[in-house]
Each structure stands twice: as structure tokens, then as C-alpha cells.
Amino acid sequence: MTSIDVHHLTKEYGTRRAVDDLTFTVRPGRVTGFLGPNGAGKSTTMRLVLGLDRPTSGTATVGGRAYTTLREPLRHVGALLDADAAHGSRTGRGHLRVLAASNRVAARRVDEVMEQTGIASVAHRRVKTYSLGMRQRLGIAAALLGDPQVVLLDEPSNGLDPEGIVWIRELLRGLADEGRTVLVSSHLMNETASFADHLVVLGRGRLLADTPMREFIDARVRPRVRIRTPDATALKAALARHGHDAVDHDDGYWTVHHARVDDIGRIVSGAGVPVLELAADEGTLEQAYLDLTATETEFTAQPQEA
Amino acid sequence: MDLAPVLRAEALKVLTLRSLCGALLALFAATTAFSALAGVSDTSDPEFDPLFTALSGVMPGQIAAIAFGAVVVSSEYQGNGIRLTLAAVPQRGRWFAAKLAVVAVPALGVGLVTALAALFAARAGLGAAAGGLTAGEQIRGVVGCGIYLMLMALFAAGLTALFRSGVATLSTLVPFILVVSFVIGDAAGTVADFLPDRAGQTVLHQTYEGALGPWTGLAVTALWTAAALLAGFWRLRSRDA
């Protein structure tokens, strides 16, 4: 097993608690989305897992071992932390060669990952001439260099163009399908929804949720049905008979809250209401997340210091 | 401890940064050129010391050695590169040892070649004025000069690890060497003799007075260097990257 295990992890900077008694496990074979507003402690947690920062208390292990005890860590764990980690005066290829040498990774892997991340054509250019998207790809190439079982990426879609965003989505899915452990932080909800199977949500350094994504959404967003009809009176009457209420929208459609499309479909067809359009309005991750953070804000609005 | 792969990576880092190769080239060029110039200067001064005149190019040249040591370390602190480095080599002692090796070995190698070239360049101009130098003194001067340059490069590397900034190191060391040491340096026989650069420079002189000889002087510089390296390593170990 190559899980990431975080156990009662706490990190204080001075008096500020960046990470507060976090416990969660990131399992292999799925993409875990790591969500939270800026400053929630996502990057700090990643640095603690990588042994870059020392925890105030608690532990973080990869495959049961502390990261700093790994001999050639890049062969086990690949990470993208900052897009600007590569020295601007080195070529992209030179940057990766250095990393490969330090962990005795075969030199051919350098060319392979540059090919895989689509930066083979700029391999011999200096990193300072790279666009943000290319730097991001170089950082991802560095993470994949040692063919690791565990991959941690901090905001990997930063600076990527639409094509790059599709590419990273497929890359992450592919890594998880190969049985790897994939942890991806992001503050972009729609983006995360497109690749994550599981979610770990932080707020002010604390764990707010650790659930499968679908469950997370279903538990927080009530389903809605969207319907369009030329006969609003008949629609309202039919719905009212079954205890539903429809809300009118300017652009000519109605929304039925707290309802499933299967039920509403039966009701309106049974009543003979002419229907032009009938669709399920699925809850989005964004709605679920905002719902969660709204309750959290209420909770944390109370005085913190006792 | 398996140091070889880390050493190879650190050596590659030096070779793939043009500014570092440039600093070593500047060390050679500046030292040799200034020594050659000193070789054709006036030699009638009663305090004329042929060995120090021949190696005097080291005075400006050492700034390149300091810059080399500082930049090897400071290049890691650009854009949080240190995080990537320590994620690849999480054992910080192992990494720091490899880093110091790639400062020390090139600085010593280039320093020895430079000192030899400077001596020959200056002697071409000095002619008979350098006739009094024995072979032993010249070998001592060249070897001592190489070691001195290596120690200064390491001193700068240690300070850079301590400050986590090359700019801070260079703006401390360069004025120190150019101004402080120069101004209070003439008060010989005082504490000034024990300053990191002055102490080590005793080895560059044919004749010397004061508390320190050529090798004890280098030992004092080595102590300063060791202190800077320990301080730098303490900062590296204790700090979050």
C-alpha cells in the first residue's frame, strides 16, 4: 500500500495554526481532490508530507514511512509545489537531468517525461523563456520523473491553457487508473469536479470533509428540475396537486426545487401538460462547497481565542 | 551514506549554470591579469615583497571566488528551488556535504592553476627583482593561495546558507574585504591579523611578521570558514524549507 497517511498533524507558525490536528488518508487508485480557500493549509500540509517543514505535532507518512527516511524519494513520490522551482538560467532538460542524477533515475526518463508533458520542443531553451504554462508542465514532468507510485500536485492547472486543462485531467485520471495515489490541490471547483473521485476539504487548517465526491455533493445540494412549457397554468396546477412548487425564470423556464426528474416527468405527462424541455439540474461541486464553507464561516465567526 | 548520486547532481548544477563557470573563469582572468600588472610596477619600495607582488592579483580575484561560493548556494534559494532540491534529497546533511564539495573542489583546482599562472605572469615582469624567491617559498605561495581561495569560497557558501541570500552575503563580504580589511589592515600586529581574509593572506608573503605564520594564518581562516559553515548548516537544518 502506498497511501499518504496524515495523523493528528498540527503546524504552527508563531501563534498561527496553519494546520490544526488533521487526520486523513489518501488512498491509491483514485484521484483525491484537496480543496479549501487560499490559506486553508493545503500547501503547508503538502510540505509537511514531503518533510520540508517540520510538524509541531503529529505525523505524515507515505507508504508507512516518513518522507525524510526515503533514500531515493523521487522514485516513490513525485511532487509539484511551485511552478518557479526551476532555476531560470538552466534549460528545462538540464533542470530535469540534475533531478534525475540525484535519485539515480535513468537519463532516458528525462526525455520521456518531457515528451509526455508536451515540452520536448522547448527542452533546450532556458527556463526563464518559458511561459507559466510551460513551467507548470516542467514541474509536472519533474513530479513524474521517477515514475512514482504517489503523486502530489499543488494547483497543477495554474497557468495552463484550455488544451492543457483537458490534458491534465486525462493525465490525473490515467495515473489513478494505473493504481497510483494522486493528491491534487485546487481552489477551482469545476476543475476539481472534472477529475476527482474523492475529496479532502480543509478550512482554516482543519478537516471539513473527507468523502467521495458524489456523496459530498448529494449530501449538500438538493436536486432540482428544470422544465419549459407553453402552458404555465397547467404546469403549476399539476405540480401543486403533488405538493411541488415551480419558480418562474425570466428566460421562459421553470425550476422545481427539491425534486427528481423521474417524479416530475411522470407528473407532467400524467396531467397532459405540453413539455418543451425537461432536465435534471444536477448539484455542482461548487454549490456543495459553498454550502459547506457557509456553515463553516458561521461556525468560525465565533471568537477563536478562549 | 551514498553520496555519489548527490555529488553528481550538484556537479551537474554547477556545469549547467553559465554564471558559475563564468565566476571561475573570472577568478583566473582577474587574478592573472592583476598579478601581471603588479609584475611591471615599481619594485623600489623598501617593503617590497616579491612573492606577495606576484600573487597580489588574488586581492581583487578573490571576489570572484567569493561570488562563486555564494552563487552555488544562493541559486538554490531562487524561486523556492530549495524545496525541490530537498524533496529530491531530504537528508539535509548529505545534501549540504555534496554542495560544499562542489564549491571546494573547483575553487581549489582553479585556485591552484590561477596562482601558478599569476606567479609566472608576474615573474615575467619582475625579472631579477623576484630572483630572491626560493622554490620552496614559491610552492608554499601557490599551494597556500589555492587553499586560501577555496576557504574564501566556502566561507561565502556558509554565509549564504546562513542568510539564505547571495545578495546579503556579497554585500557583507565584498565591502568587508575591500574596505574594512584594507583600512584597519595597516594596524598590523593587532586583531586585524586575525580577520578571515588577512589571516589567510599571510601565506602569500615571502616574509611575515606578527603572530601568524603562513600555515597558522590559513588555519585561522579555516576556523572562520568552519564557523560560517556550521552556522549555515544549523540554519538549513532547523528551518522549514
Side-chain angles (χ1 to χ4, degrees), chain B residues 96 100 154-155 157-159 224-234:
Chain B
F96 198 56
L100 297 187
L154 286 171
F155 187 60
L159 286 185
W224 280 98
T225 300
L229 292 176
L230 279 174
F233 184 52
W234 162 79

Side-chain angles (χ1 to χ4, degrees), chain A residues 69-149:
Chain A
T69 65
L70 297 172
R71 280 322 281 181
E72 282 163 351
L74 298 188
R75 294 165 170 275
H76 307 283
V77 183
L80 164 75
L81 292 182
D82 312 272
D84 59 349
H87 196 290
S89 304
R90 260 184 210 109
T91 63
R93 194 165 184 281
H95 172 70
L96 293 176
R97 271 177 66 211
V98 166
L99 283 175
S102 69
N103 278 245
R104 291 192 297 180
V105 172
R108 64 172 169 78
R109 280 294 294 161
V110 170
D111 299 311
E112 283 174 15
V113 293
M114 295 200 98
E115 200 68 56
Q116 190 184 354
T117 52
I119 47 172
S121 60
V122 293
H124 295 281
R125 269 170 52 183
R126 291 183 183 215
V127 174
K128 65 180 157 207
T129 68
Y130 283 22
S131 67
L132 178 58
M134 288 180 197
R135 279 178 217 207
Q136 201 71 23
R137 285 169 184 262
L138 179 64
I140 295 165
L144 300 177
L145 190 62
D147 198 16
Q149 273 302 304

Side-chain angles (χ1 to χ4, degrees), chain B residues 12-77:
Chain B
L12 255 178
K13 279 186 191 169
V14 173
L15 293 172
T16 51
L17 274 193
R18 272 186 233 169
S19 57
L20 291 177
C21 303
L24 290 175
L25 200 68
L27 168 61
F28 178 84
T31 305
T32 312
F34 279 99
S35 280
L37 274 176
V40 292
S41 62
D42 181 26
T43 59
S44 58
D45 190 325
E47 290 197 7
F48 170 70
D49 183 319
L51 187 62
F52 185 68
T53 304
L55 294 174
S56 62
V58 168
M59 303 310 284
Q62 64 181 330
I63 289 169
I66 287 165
F68 174 74
V71 175
V72 168
V73 177
S74 73
S75 63
E76 296 285 348
Y77 290 97

